[in-house]
């Protein structure tokens, strides 16, 4: 996971047309495209949107291997439910299988629709997150009017995410070097559970202690409950507007055509 | 339990968003009134910690593994369900936008499940049981029931959305989370609570402290 967290940031800091777009515009584009792909029920529309997204991926110069690998990792979560649709959805029965299973045509259609929606949304999210550093995502949300308390917490969380993934790696390495394996059948199950519990407790304790430390270091730098953070100001340029208008135009075109 | 994009129609997603914004309004007010400035960095770091905890595999019997959600124990330790809600909201937003774990349109539904239902149930079951039985079993019951009922709610939502039939959903989600709720969330939260109660009782909110042990 840690490597994925770090490669995520490495890809997000590349240079390209897409990377250089204002993060607010990218966030809005992502939301519009995903909302549309959840709204539409036509497979052709979803295919056209996917082609547009792949065109953006091509422009962004993200490593394709990395891009598709991430999609393949995320897909199984929901894909599982989509694949089972033909068997669980009532409708015109196409085939009857043993064990009382049957395949319905409505189920197949719905399953394909779910899977395509899922693919389109995930392709967009992966493109967005691989072309925008996490800090910019949070800044974009802050500048789009997200509640202040939440954005302060969000930006601090993002900052400490990497520290905690390092810590998690340390814990895992320490356990591995002592031949700790959660599937070991030689020791009692409760003992294993207790060890896992202790490592999770350590993460909690570390969070509490780090929270105190961070508070004091913030205090010594003039924190008074309000985080007046310096944000690199980018004004929205012509190319940002063009990208947004192009996206909206394409969606309207696909819907109306 | 992260519902992905496309599994809940837009019209229903909006309902969940409205509920989350409604609770979020109270949570932000609660944060303004009850959190001293010291606790804001704490919530943030706990968010990062919960992120790491979610990535940790917990063995459950019969050869599968699951992971904790963590909002019930955060609510119990900090003494308010709003704390669990805020931490979970932050975690789920980052998971949805940066990791693709759980969808964007269904973010409202996901926060509703893991942020609102799990935190509030976990905290109030703990609070109700604590005077009756010892604090430790109430931590177990709180976090176990919170996860179990959240999974039932999740199955119901998918049924209302027309994505998954009711009985199959209840059986699969319910059984799986019954086991994860006991061995993952329940026992691990209890271990975390007992250990912190012994090592650093000052970190636990006074309302949630195990007083019997202190005397």
């Amino acid at each position: 996971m840690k490597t994925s967290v770090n490669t995520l940031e490495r890809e997000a800091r590349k240079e390209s047309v897409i990377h250089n777009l204002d993060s607010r515009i990218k966030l809005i584009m992502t939301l519009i495209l995903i909302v549309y792909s959840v709204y539409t029920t036509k497979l052709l529309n979803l295919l056209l949107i996917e082609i547009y997204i792949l065109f953006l991926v091509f422009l962004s110069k993200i490593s394709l291997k990395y891009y598709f690998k991430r999609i393949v990792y995320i897909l199984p979560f929901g894909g599982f439910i989509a694949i089972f649709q033909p068997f669980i959805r009532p409708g015109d029965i196409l085939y009857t299988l043993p064990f009382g299973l049957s395949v319905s045509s409505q189920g197949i259609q719905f399953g394909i629709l779910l899977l395509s929606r899922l693919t389109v949304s995930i392709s967009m999210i992966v493109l967005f997150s691989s072309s925008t550093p996490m800090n910019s995502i949070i800044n974009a949300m802050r500048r789009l009017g997200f509640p202040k308390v939440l954005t302060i917490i969000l930006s601090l969380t993002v900052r400490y995410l990497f520290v905690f993934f390092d810590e998690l790696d340390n814990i895992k390495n320490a356990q591995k070097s002592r031949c700790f394996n959660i599937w070991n059948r030689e020791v009692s199950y409760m003992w294993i559970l207790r060890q896992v519990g202790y490592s999770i407790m350590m993460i909690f304790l570390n969070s509490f202690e780090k929270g105190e430390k961070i508070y004091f270091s913030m205090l010594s730098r003039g924190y008074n409950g309000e985080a007046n953070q310096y944000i690199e100001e980018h004004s929205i340029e012509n190319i940002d507007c063009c990208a947004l208008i192009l996206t909206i135009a394409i969606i309207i075109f696909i819907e109306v055509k | 339990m992260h519902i992905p994009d496309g599994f809940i129609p837009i019209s229903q997603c909006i309902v969940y968003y409205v509920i989350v914004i409604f609770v979020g309004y109270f949570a932000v007010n609660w944060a303004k009134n009850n959190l001293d400035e010291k606790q804001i960095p704490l919530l943030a770091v706990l968010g990062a910690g919960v992120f790491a905890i979610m990535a940790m595999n917990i063995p459950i019997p019969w050869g599968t593994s699951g992971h904790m959600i963590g909002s019930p124990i955060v609510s119990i330790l900090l003494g308010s369900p709003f704390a669990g809600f805020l931490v979970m909201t932050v975690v789920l937003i980052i998971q949805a936008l940066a990791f693709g774990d759980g969808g964007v349109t269904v973010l409202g539904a996901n926060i509703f499940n893991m942020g609102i239902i799990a935190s509030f149930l976990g905290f109030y079951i703990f609070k109700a049981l604590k005077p009756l039985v010892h604090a430790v079993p109430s931590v177990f019951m709180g976090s176990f029931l919170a996860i179990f009922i959240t999974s039932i709610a999740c199955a119901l939502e998918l049924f209302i959305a027309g994505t998954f039939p009711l009985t199959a959903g209840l059986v699969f989600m319910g059984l799986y989370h019954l086991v994860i709720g006991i061995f993952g969330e329940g026992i691990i939260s209890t271990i975390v609570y007992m250990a912190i109660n012994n090592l650093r009782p000052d970190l636990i909110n006074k309302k949630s402290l195990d007083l019997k042990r202190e005397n």
Side-chain angles (χ1 to χ4, degrees):
Chain A
M1 192 76 183
K2 173 207 163 197
T3 41
S4 79
V5 173
N6 289 340
T7 37
L8 193 75
E9 285 290 290
R10 200 179 308 136
E11 287 290 328
R13 287 182 194 278
K14 278 185 175 172
E15 283 276 317
S16 79
V17 193
I18 305 292
H19 285 79
N20 291 338
L21 284 179
D22 191 282
S23 47
R24 281 170 289 179
I25 298 289
K26 269 188 282 186
L27 183 58
I28 295 172
M29 272 168 66
T30 309
L31 294 183
I32 296 177
L33 281 169
I34 291 180
V35 167
Y36 180 72
S37 66
V38 175
Y39 161 79
T40 189
T41 46
K42 295 190 188 110
L43 287 177
L44 180 66
N45 294 1
L46 287 169
L47 181 69
L48 291 173
I49 294 276
E50 182 70 18
I51 292 173
Y52 175 60
I53 294 175
L54 289 180
F55 170 69
L56 293 179
V57 172
F58 172 71
L59 282 184
S60 71
K61 295 182 195 157
I62 298 170
S63 137
L64 287 180
K65 192 180 152 207
Y66 163 80
Y67 179 76
F68 288 111
K69 219 164 128 189
R70 273 197 68 193
I71 293 184
V72 169
Y73 271 123
I74 301 174
L75 258 182
F77 283 117
F80 192 72
I81 294 183
I83 286 170
F84 272 99
Q85 286 299 329
F87 306 106
I88 54 176
R89 206 170 181 77
D92 308 331
I93 292 170
L94 293 182
Y95 310 102
T96 314
L97 300 172
F99 309 115
L101 288 175
S102 55
V103 177
S104 67
S105 62
Q106 276 90 342
I108 292 184
Q109 280 167 9
F110 190 67
I112 293 176
L113 179 69
L114 273 189
L115 206 58
S116 338
R117 275 180 183 165
L118 198 64
T119 317
V120 174
S121 331
I122 292 177
S123 338
M124 193 58 220
I125 274 294
V126 173
L127 168 65
F128 173 65
S129 65
S130 343
S131 65
T132 323
M134 277 189 227
N135 252 330
S136 318
I137 301 179
I138 309 302
N139 279 343
M141 291 169 73
R142 177 197 297 243
R143 292 173 74 186
L144 287 171
F146 219 69
K148 212 167 174 186
V149 184
L150 263 183
T151 46
I152 298 174
I153 300 181
L154 267 171
S155 62
L156 278 170
T157 304
V158 162
R159 210 162 289 181
Y160 286 94
L161 208 56
F162 299 91
V163 180
F164 274 92
F165 273 106
D166 273 348
E167 212 142 275
L168 188 66
D169 254 25
N170 283 343
I171 293 179
K172 279 187 179 161
N173 280 340
Q175 290 180 337
K176 224 187 263 168
S177 65
R178 288 164 179 77
C179 298
F180 180 77
N181 177 359
I182 56 172
W183 301 125
N184 193 346
R185 300 229 174 261
E186 305 291 315
V187 285
S188 87
Y189 173 73
M190 283 313 286
W191 183 83
I192 297 180
L193 210 56
R194 206 158 63 221
Q195 303 312 313
V196 175
Y198 286 151
S199 7
I200 289 181
M201 186 270 296
M202 271 325 286
I203 296 181
F204 265 108
L205 268 186
N206 272 338
S207 324
F208 275 110
E209 281 168 4
K210 240 173 219 130
E212 274 173 357
K213 232 188 229 170
I214 292 162
Y215 167 67
F216 288 127
S217 50
M218 280 163 78
L219 202 64
S220 64
R221 287 163 181 81
Y223 172 68
N224 59 355
E226 288 273 308
N228 298 316
Q229 203 185 351
Y230 167 74
I231 306 168
E232 241 183 300
E233 289 285 330
H234 284 293
S235 50
I236 292 180
E237 289 168 20
N238 284 340
I239 183 150
D240 299 322
C241 294
C242 288
L244 187 59
I245 292 169
L246 179 71
T247 307
I248 295 174
I250 283 179
I251 289 178
I252 293 174
F253 171 74
I254 290 176
E255 181 60 26
V256 184
K257 74 167 184 328
Chain B
M1 219 184 290
H2 294 62
I3 305 172
D5 269 321
F7 280 46
I8 293 183
I10 292 285
S11 52
Q12 293 176 25
C13 289
I14 295 173
V15 177
Y16 296 118
Y17 267 112
V18 170
I19 300 175
V20 166
I21 291 170
F22 183 72
V23 177
Y25 172 78
F26 287 104
V28 169
N29 268 348
W30 168 83
K32 270 184 198 149
N33 298 330
N34 294 305
L35 279 190
D36 46 26
E37 48 186 37
K38 189 178 169 180
Q39 271 169 315
I40 287 182
L42 178 62
L43 282 187
V45 184
L46 267 177
V50 167
F51 223 107
I53 286 164
M54 276 190 167
M56 212 153 162
N57 279 331
I58 298 168
I60 55 176
W62 311 306
T64 40
S65 68
H67 65 82
M68 263 179 98
I69 291 180
S71 45
I73 184 73
V74 170
S75 306
I76 292 171
L77 289 179
L78 294 183
S80 165
F82 287 122
F85 169 79
L86 285 175
V87 167
M88 222 48 215
T89 306
V90 164
V91 169
L92 287 169
I93 288 175
I94 299 175
Q95 280 183 334
L97 286 179
F99 293 87
D101 214 354
V104 175
T105 52
V106 290
L107 187 58
N110 281 332
I111 297 179
F112 176 70
N113 289 338
M114 287 178 266
I116 299 179
I117 301 184
S119 308
F120 278 77
L121 274 182
F123 180 72
Y124 284 109
I125 292 175
F126 167 76
K127 207 177 154 188
L129 285 180
K130 200 179 162 234
L132 303 176
V133 282
H134 200 268
V136 174
S138 13
V139 172
F140 174 79
M141 284 314 281
S143 28
F144 155 59
L145 282 177
I147 297 314
F148 180 61
I149 297 173
T150 305
S151 76
I152 299 286
C154 185
L156 278 178
E157 283 155 23
L158 286 179
F159 167 68
I160 297 170
T163 314
F164 214 76
L166 187 60
T167 37
L170 284 179
V171 171
F172 286 133
M173 289 291 283
L175 271 183
Y176 184 63
H177 286 94
L178 182 73
V179 180
I180 288 196
I182 294 177
F183 294 99
E185 199 80 31
I187 293 186
I188 302 272
S189 299
T190 316
I191 294 174
V192 169
Y193 177 83
M194 281 166 71
I196 296 187
N197 201 45
N198 283 338
L199 298 171
R200 292 278 313 262
D202 56 307
L203 295 177
I204 302 179
N205 187 292
K206 283 192 189 69
K207 278 184 269 175
S208 307
L209 207 57
D210 183 3
L211 290 171
K212 276 185 197 159
R213 195 161 288 245
E214 238 182 25
N215 295 332

